[in-house]
Amino acid sequence: MEHGAAFQRPRPEDRRRRIVIPALSLVLLIGPSGAGKTTFAHAHFRSTEILSSDAFRAMIADDEADQSATREAFAILHQVAEARLRRGRLTVIDATNTRPEARLPLLELARRYHVPCVAVIFDYPKEVYLAHDRQRSGRHVGEAVIERQLRQLEENRPALREEPFQRRYWIKSPEEAARAVVIRQPLPCDRRWWRGPFDIIGDIHGCFDELVELLERLGYRVAEQRTRSGDVHYQLAHPDGRRLLFVGDLVDRGPKIVPVLRLVMAACGRGRAAVVLGNHDRKLLRYLEGRTVQIAHGFEVTVEQLEGESPEFKQRVRNFLRRLPHHLVLDGGRLVVAHAGLPEEYQGRDSPAVRRIALFGVTSGEVDERGLPIRLNWAREYRGRAYVVYGHTPVTDAVWINRTLNIDTGCVFGNRLTALRYPEMEVVSVQAHHVYAVPPRRLLEPRELAEHPFLLPREELVALAERSLLNEEADSQLVSSSPTAREATESQFPSRE
């Protein structure tokens, strides 16, 4: 090889166009007839993944050009697309899709099944579409039809930029389409190839000493090193090669938030750990991004402890938090880790609704007298195949409920820090060294977690039911002989005595 030959840059006309598609997504091919959408689709996707309007017309009318079958063809196309998305299958729509009215029901399907939607737009000069149309064997749509579709595309460019596509790719020439490379990228939550064994750690909230004690009890070696500049670095290893998973809420309320961040970031940086974002972690991220957040609910402790840290460290924390997934699917889909838990229909999917539920739980839409959201006890109704390990709602003890386990045992409130060894299903805990903060609500007991429809202590549930029944009595003017709210609630939740 001649000197320098290995370092020659590829010519612009030889560069490949990278099109990154989430492995679970709805892909819309958009462009007038003659754009080569069908050729592109079959070059990059399985035939079973492609839903073609022409193919469905042909199924119905034995003629893919029979426009009288269009309404029925799209009705079936939408039905098949819905079935595939419900099953978590990548789906490609091969149709012109040049009108917002055509894209709207497809975007709605993506929203309903919590999958990202990608647009691939074939944006050529009119002469290219016409030339391709003339070269077709069997059928031609004609210049008038192509001009109408091209006009629709031109008129709807602003709408295409505003519609909720996660990604948009504009293909400007047939040559660019021919050089395209489609890359399937797993969703950030998809770690199915991580098989374990795992040690899953509950909400830490700055309880560094308890974290180190728990890690050592689990068999990890934790080493602290200081550089000449005084920076602290941690090394973490397990003799059996186990991986660590954290359910989020690393920060707020506790005494040693910065050491917790340093240790967890070091473990993740070596590829032996992963963290899902907690709601307190999200608040810190928003703060570090310069957004306005409320300095309350223990966040003031984080702000104070970060004041003495360098801008470089704060930037590292911000970058680290930005990359955290809202949940993880592991071990071939048999294990799910999410900060506030996750019902089955949201697992392995990505949407604003999934992110909100993973971070904050399933809420009733109401708040209590202190302004705290009232969360539904989703675990009581869970019937999914995967084990779900989560935290967020502090409990006195970790108990299994329908293949779900809440391991936030309120260490920062003076109770315990808890881990689950998976697949052994062994719960390991260490006692808190101190009471670092006062909980906004009393920690839930196992029976309350198993029986109550809301994630509330018994006395708050009674008060909630009382207020609800009193409102119903006022609205319907019930007679005074009706059972009281407390009697009604006591009949539903018998005394623990």
Side-chain angles (χ1 to χ4, degrees), residues 71-88:
R71 183 183 298 274
E72 294 167 295
F74 273 96
I76 299 172
L77 183 150
H78 290 161
Q79 186 177 359
V80 176
E82 180 172 12
R84 288 188 60 84
L85 295 178
R86 187 187 305 118
R87 288 176 167 268

Side-chain angles (χ1 to χ4, degrees), residues 46-305:
R46 303 185 188 98
S47 59
T48 53
E49 296 172 331
I50 304 166
L51 305 184
S52 163
S53 57
D54 286 349
F56 282 106
R57 271 190 289 264
M59 288 181 194
I60 294 169
D62 292 325
D63 182 0
E64 65 182 32
D66 188 344
Q67 297 301 308
S68 68
T70 294
R71 183 183 298 274
E72 294 167 295
F74 273 96
I76 299 172
L77 183 150
H78 290 161
Q79 186 177 359
V80 176
E82 180 172 12
R84 288 188 60 84
L85 295 178
R86 187 187 305 118
R87 288 176 167 268
R89 300 294 180 183
L90 184 142
T91 302
V92 181
I93 306 300
D94 177 13
T96 57
N97 293 314
T98 51
R99 296 179 301 113
E101 298 81 11
R103 298 190 296 271
L104 182 61
L106 297 167
L107 287 164
E108 171 59 23
L109 282 179
R111 185 200 65 80
R112 186 185 310 163
Y113 291 100
H114 308 286
V115 301
C117 199
V118 177
V120 181
I121 304 132
F122 298 80
D123 189 19
Y124 304 159
K126 181 178 74 172
E127 293 73 19
V128 175
Y129 303 120
L130 294 175
H132 286 180
D133 186 51
R134 287 192 295 268
Q135 294 168 8
R136 283 183 174 184
S137 59
R139 82 176 180 96
H140 308 282
V141 300
E143 184 171 355
V145 172
I146 289 175
E147 285 183 341
R148 184 182 75 246
Q149 295 168 347
L150 185 57
R151 189 165 55 250
Q152 292 169 348
L153 182 61
E154 291 292 338
E155 292 172 352
N156 290 298
R157 284 181 187 274
L160 269 172
R161 292 186 172 93
E162 293 295 327
E163 289 168 357
F165 292 103
Q166 187 187 85
R167 302 174 187 180
R168 298 169 187 81
Y169 296 97
W170 300 80
I171 308 293
K172 293 296 186 178
S173 70
E175 293 75 22
E176 184 180 354
R179 293 194 305 271
V181 176
V182 172
I183 299 169
R184 301 190 187 212
Q185 186 178 72
L187 293 176
C189 64
D190 191 352
R191 301 277 182 92
R192 296 169 200 268
W193 61 92
W194 278 27
R195 297 288 178 175
F198 302 115
D199 295 309
I200 311 169
I201 311 292
D203 300 40
I204 301 169
H205 283 299
C207 297
F208 177 77
D209 294 339
E210 291 86 347
L211 173 60
V212 172
E213 181 182 344
L214 179 60
L215 291 173
E216 291 175 344
R217 183 168 296 186
L218 292 168
Y220 290 85
R221 295 189 297 269
V222 182
E224 177 183 311
Q225 297 178 335
R226 289 187 178 270
T227 64
R228 291 181 177 178
S229 61
D231 288 341
V232 178
H233 295 276
Y234 293 98
Q235 290 187 342
L236 196 65
H238 195 286
D240 299 329
R242 300 178 70 91
R243 292 184 189 267
L244 277 170
L245 303 174
F246 297 89
V247 303
D249 276 5
L250 307 175
V251 302
D252 292 357
R253 296 186 172 126
K256 296 184 179 180
I257 292 162
V258 171
V260 167
L261 287 170
R262 290 187 184 276
L263 190 152
V264 174
M265 289 164 60
C268 291
R270 292 179 175 84
R272 300 306 303 174
V275 187
V276 296
L277 191 69
N279 59 305
H280 286 263
D281 310 319
R282 175 181 177 270
K283 190 174 188 178
L284 174 58
L285 173 59
R286 290 169 61 83
Y287 175 79
L288 293 174
E289 290 176 336
R291 305 190 194 187
T292 301
V293 299
Q294 186 180 11
I295 310 297
H297 305 298
F299 185 57
E300 67 278 4
V301 180
T302 298
V303 173
E304 180 182 356
Q305 293 183 30

Side-chain angles (χ1 to χ4, degrees), residues 366-384:
E366 299 175 309
V367 295
D368 64 13
E369 295 174 345
R370 291 158 294 187
L372 297 173
I374 296 174
R375 295 191 292 272
L376 301 178
N377 190 358
W378 65 275
R380 199 174 69 142
E381 307 300 326
Y382 182 73
R383 299 295 183 272

Side-chain angles (χ1 to χ4, degrees), residues 273-378:
V275 187
V276 296
L277 191 69
N279 59 305
H280 286 263
D281 310 319
R282 175 181 177 270
K283 190 174 188 178
L284 174 58
L285 173 59
R286 290 169 61 83
Y287 175 79
L288 293 174
E289 290 176 336
R291 305 190 194 187
T292 301
V293 299
Q294 186 180 11
I295 310 297
H297 305 298
F299 185 57
E300 67 278 4
V301 180
T302 298
V303 173
E304 180 182 356
Q305 293 183 30
L306 280 174
E307 279 182 356
E309 297 300 319
S310 67
E312 292 77 16
F313 176 75
K314 294 175 185 177
Q315 184 174 350
R316 282 179 52 216
V317 173
R318 181 182 62 191
N319 294 339
F320 171 73
L321 295 176
R322 277 179 177 169
R323 293 192 294 267
L324 296 186
H326 44 75
H327 76 285
L328 287 171
V329 180
L330 306 126
D331 193 19
R334 288 180 284 272
L335 174 65
V336 172
V337 177
H339 176 63
L342 203 60
E344 185 178 29
E345 60 266 31
Y346 305 110
Q347 295 169 9
R349 297 172 184 265
D350 187 15
S351 73
V354 175
R355 290 191 287 273
R356 184 174 63 253
I357 291 169
L359 264 68
F360 300 100
V362 183
T363 63
S364 67
E366 299 175 309
V367 295
D368 64 13
E369 295 174 345
R370 291 158 294 187
L372 297 173
I374 296 174
R375 295 191 292 272
L376 301 178
N377 190 358
W378 65 275

